[in-house]
């Protein structure tokens, strides 16, 4: 028996209805304990996330981005981290969708924007800082005002901020979203399309908005060597983007072979564990060249992790090819 009290029975019937609706039209569903436990868990996580916003549990890690031909550091992508007091590190893919569902993404996104602008302003020119935007932030009619205010408060020039959006954001409210993107772009902020190639209508969006950069999803990078079709697709993306005057970043570069292939194909920017893992702001050195004898303990994250690779590459290239943009 599922319930003996009226209120409990109604509550459980509600849960079954919720489950049936989630499964689509014309279905039915019985109450089950597992769904109830899952919902309880999500509610708890949402309450914890609200608390995390008011305490010191959230932080930004920064992953370095490199210019592919000069092998110089161009900036960092800010990636949100949640260190939960009991669960430990909760991956963004677990809590960002939850923040979107509960509306917490607004204060969370604003916190990321302001923190990243403040951190970025402390780095040497012309290093840039990129942040990921959620669809909910883009449909907020005041996004342009919030970005302008965050830049002014941090003293960061607009040209050093990049906003990463995904195709799904352009699928709804297109006119309003496009209008906000145009205003941000006119201010000098760069707009990048993240996870390019994983959606299903990317080409129409490339046509409708003048993106500064597309970021090829790491699924492509990681199959570059094993599948000739992927190799061909990546080459075509680079060629298409370049003919539209759009720069190309490849995400998820993990091997020197992938890096060499992407360089050969003319990809403009590289990002991935091979070059540097995301790390806390305090550990960033902003150097793109450190002697190969650098102690391994300094090569844990951020800009120092890649240095031995660039040192090796510099040995293969004419002198002066490697530089640090400072
Ligand atoms: P993303 O924006 O595509 O970020 C790249 C993800 O790939 C990051 O995962 C990064 O740690 C990971 N990555 C980088 N290089 C490599 C590599 O070589 N190999 C592998 N396997 N992974 C690599 P992370 O930090 O877990 O973030 C996942 C996603 O969560 C992000 O994907 C982004 O969509 C979202 N996210 C992260 N921070 C924020 C934020 O502040 N706001 C919003 N709205 N979304 C965020
Ligand atoms: Mg991103
Ligand atoms: Mg991505």
């Amino acid at each position: 028996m599922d319930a003996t009290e009226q209120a409990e029975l109604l509550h459980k019937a509600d849960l079954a209805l919720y489950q049936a609706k989630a499964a689509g039209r014309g279905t039915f569903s019985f109450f089950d304990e597992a769904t109830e436990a899952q919902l309880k868990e999500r509610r708890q996580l949402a309450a914890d996330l609200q608390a995390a916003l008011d305490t010191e549990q959230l932080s930004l890690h920064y992953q370095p981005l490199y210019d592919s031909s000069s092998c110089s550091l161009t900036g960092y992508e800010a990636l949100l981290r949640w260190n939960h007091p009991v669960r430990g590190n909760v991956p963004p893919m677990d809590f960002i969708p939850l923040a979107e569902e509960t509306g917490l993404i607004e204060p969370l996104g604003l916190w990321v924007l302001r923190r990243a602008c403040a951190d970025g302003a402390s780095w040497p020119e012309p290093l840039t800082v990129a942040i990921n935007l959620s669809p909910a932030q883009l449909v907020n009619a005041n996004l342009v005002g919030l970005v302008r205010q965050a830049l002014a408060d941090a003293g960061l020039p607009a040209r050093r901020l990049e906003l990463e959006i995904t195709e799904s954001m352009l699928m709804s409210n297109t006119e309003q979203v496009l209008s906000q993107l145009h205003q941000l772009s006119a201010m000098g902020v760069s707009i990048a399309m993240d996870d390019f190639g994983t959606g299903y209508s990317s080409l129409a969006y490339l046509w409708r908005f003048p993106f500064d950069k597309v970021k090829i999803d790491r699924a492509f990078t990681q199959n570059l060597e094993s599948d000739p079709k992927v190799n061909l697709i990546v080459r075509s993306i680079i060629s298409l983007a370049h003919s539209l005057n759009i720069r190309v970043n490849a995400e998820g570069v993990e091997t020197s072979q992938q890096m060499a292939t992407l360089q050969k194909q003319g990809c403009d920017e590289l990002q991935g564990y091979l070059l540097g893992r995301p790390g806390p702001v305090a550990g960033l050195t902003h150097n793109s060249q450190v002697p190969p004898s650098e102690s391994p303990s300094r090569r844990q994250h951020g800009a120092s992790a890649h240095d031995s690779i660039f040192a090796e590459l510099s040995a293969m290239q004419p002198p002066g090819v490697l530089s640090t943009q400072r």
Side-chain angles (χ1 to χ4, degrees):
M1 196 190 311
D2 284 331
T4 50
E5 301 289 322
Q6 188 187 19
E8 193 187 359
L9 186 64
L10 283 174
H11 165 71
K12 291 185 171 174
D14 246 6
L15 279 180
L17 181 64
Y18 167 88
Q19 209 177 354
K21 280 184 177 166
R25 292 168 76 93
T27 55
F28 66 93
S29 180
F30 293 102
F31 164 78
D32 85 84
E33 302 280 349
T35 310
E36 188 179 37
Q38 254 175 20
L39 279 176
K40 229 183 194 160
E41 159 98 3
R42 285 179 72 74
R43 242 177 269 133
Q44 183 59 50
L45 200 62
D48 291 353
L49 187 55
Q50 172 79 66
L53 265 168
D54 308 325
T55 56
E56 298 281 294
Q57 295 169 29
L58 295 175
S59 65
L60 289 180
H61 277 192
Y62 292 97
Q63 186 174 31
L65 314 177
Y66 289 94
D67 181 85
S68 166
S69 52
S70 67
C71 294
S72 58
L73 180 70
T74 57
Y76 298 91
E77 175 175 1
L79 295 158
L80 189 55
R81 296 291 177 258
W82 179 12
N83 188 9
H84 188 285
V86 179
R87 297 167 196 256
N89 289 328
V90 184
M93 290 325 278
D94 287 355
F95 69 86
I96 283 172
L98 183 68
E100 282 167 350
E101 277 168 39
T102 54
L104 280 174
I105 195 67
E106 292 237 5
L108 202 65
L110 187 58
W111 181 85
V112 170
L113 172 70
R114 296 183 60 80
R115 182 75 261 152
C117 286
D119 287 340
S122 71
W123 304 335
E125 284 260 11
L127 295 181
T128 56
V129 59
I131 65 165
N132 292 282
L133 284 188
S134 277
Q137 290 175 274
L138 261 183
V139 294
N140 176 345
N142 192 27
L143 177 67
V144 178
L146 295 175
V147 171
R148 191 177 281 121
Q149 190 62 51
L151 289 170
D153 290 349
L156 182 74
R159 69 186 139 75
R160 292 180 60 197
L161 176 66
E162 184 165 271
L163 301 177
E164 296 189 5
I165 69 163
T166 54
E167 291 166 56
S168 61
M169 295 186 199
L170 294 167
M171 288 168 71
S172 55
N173 293 297
T174 311
E175 291 314 319
Q176 191 193 344
V177 167
L178 286 177
S179 143
Q180 301 231 55
L181 291 179
H182 279 290
Q183 289 177 60
L184 289 163
S185 190
M187 276 163 58
V189 173
S190 297
I191 312 288
M193 186 185 275
D194 205 356
D195 307 337
F196 186 74
T198 53
Y200 44 86
S201 39
S202 359
L203 298 183
Y205 298 127
L206 285 187
W207 157 56
R208 296 208 61 193
F209 182 78
F211 285 93
D212 298 283
K213 187 191 282 180
V214 295
K215 300 186 71 176
I216 299 179
D217 192 76
R218 72 165 184 266
F220 289 99
T221 306
Q222 288 170 2
N223 289 293
L224 204 53
E225 307 305 325
S226 58
D227 190 337
K229 274 189 283 184
V230 173
N231 195 300
L232 204 65
I233 291 171
V234 168
R235 223 179 316 147
S236 311
I237 294 176
I238 294 171
S239 157
L240 172 71
H242 283 175
S243 46
L244 291 166
N245 217 9
I246 300 173
R247 285 167 56 75
V248 182
N249 163 301
E251 301 187 273
V253 181
E254 290 186 358
T255 68
S256 30
Q257 210 181 354
Q258 289 163 355
M259 177 168 164
T261 304
L262 288 158
Q263 285 177 313
K264 208 162 61 196
Q265 293 189 346
C267 180
D268 305 280
E269 191 177 76
L270 304 172
Q271 176 179 7
Y273 291 169
L274 177 77
L275 308 166
R277 288 180 180 257
V281 69
L284 307 178
T285 62
H286 313 308
N287 295 326
S288 63
Q289 258 187 308
V290 171
S293 57
E294 185 66 37
S295 79
S297 60
R298 284 198 59 205
R299 291 204 198 127
Q300 304 222 319
H301 55 68
S304 51
H306 68 290
D307 293 327
S308 59
I309 293 140
F310 281 140
E312 268 170 44
L313 277 167
S314 72
M316 293 157 46
Q317 292 176 354
V321 169
L322 288 181
S323 67
T324 306
Q325 291 187 0
R326 302 196 76 152

